[in-house]
Amino acid sequence: MAPKWVSRWYRGAAIYGLAVLLPQYLQAPPPGAEAVAYGFIGTASVFQLVFWIIGGDPSRYRALMPVTVLEKLVFGVPVTLLYAQGRAPAFLLPFGVIDLMLGLGFFLAWRATPRS
């Protein structure tokens, strides 16, 4: 049985993710990058549903937890590095750092969840 915080961490991440991602559908994407913008928002939104499912039964879905760590790293690391190089706007940095913190939490959740 996984510790209770694991379920809460995943479910909280799902709620946060959808709250941040879905309003972006209402903003105009950069000209010429509509497919990339909408594809990112859609794919990332679907992954929030995966977080919600994992939160419902962390022990059952433990095998997916390392993938969720990677999902957070693929945004958090590039944003942080690009910002450090002056190639990403400052408003993105907090979101990158939040993803890195969520990824760390997912890693710790994986470690805290016993194998079935």
Side-chain angles (χ1 to χ4, degrees), residues 93-104:
L93 184 61
F95 297 105
V97 170
I98 289 169
D99 265 20
L100 292 175
M101 292 186 326
L102 287 169
L104 175 61

Side-chain angles (χ1 to χ4, degrees), residues 1-3 6 57-66 107-116:
M1 180 112 180
V6 172
D57 191 350
S59 296
R60 180 176 183 187
Y61 297 108
R62 183 181 186 276
L64 287 174
M65 290 181 180
F107 175 76
L108 297 173
W110 175 66
R111 296 287 308 262
T113 303
R115 290 183 175 94
S116 302

